[in-house]
Amino acid sequence: MKVVAAYLLAVLGGKTTPTAEDLKDNLGYVGAEADDDRIQLLPSEVKGKDITELIASGREKLASVPAGGGGAVAVAATGCGCGGGGGAAAAAAEAKKEEKKIMISGEKKRKRKKWVRGS
């Protein structure tokens, strides 16, 4: 992701086809490091392609990816075939309970603070 961000920053900076050296410079400005292989790969893969078309194509591909909340837990709980899936579902339910407890205690604290300020 760092390499992609450096590429996009170079494009925003006015370079229509950033080179690997441009990406290294952008990463160096913020003190980030990345593999030279990845830095070399990105410009070679997108060479001659319009960045706006690449982004539009990526959005279309991501739109078809399922991104539901509860379905992944159910698949993880039963899909491995190892018989230990019930524990994963119980752990997820326990995590939700803890989140609710935190929210409730946070709300009580806010109410208490309002009461103290009002008196």
Side-chain angles (χ1 to χ4, degrees):
M1 290 302 276
K2 291 185 276 189
V3 177
V4 173
Y7 186 88
L8 292 173
L9 283 172
V11 170
L12 286 173
K15 301 220 180 225
T16 55
T17 55
T19 63
E21 196 61 38
D22 295 328
L23 301 182
K24 287 180 187 178
D25 290 342
N26 283 350
L27 291 169
Y29 293 141
V30 296
E33 296 178 7
D35 295 334
D36 284 337
D37 295 336
R38 291 183 185 212
I39 293 172
Q40 297 291 333
L41 179 67
L42 183 64
S44 66
E45 289 291 318
V46 298
K47 187 175 184 177
K49 299 177 183 175
D50 183 36
I51 193 68
T52 55
E53 290 176 9
L54 288 172
I55 292 171
S57 171
R59 282 187 180 168
E60 289 174 10
K61 290 177 183 178
L62 284 176
S64 66
V65 175
V73 173
V75 170
T78 60
C80 70
C82 59
E94 185 66 29
K96 280 195 169 195
K97 286 181 184 177
E98 287 183 33
E99 285 180 23
K100 288 180 182 178
K101 288 178 186 176
I102 292 169
M103 293 298 293
I104 291 170
S105 65
E107 289 174 7
K108 286 182 181 178
K109 287 179 183 177
R110 277 189 254 133
K111 288 180 183 177
R112 194 174 307 139
K113 287 180 182 177
K114 287 181 183 177
W115 183 76
V116 172
R117 288 182 193 161
S119 60

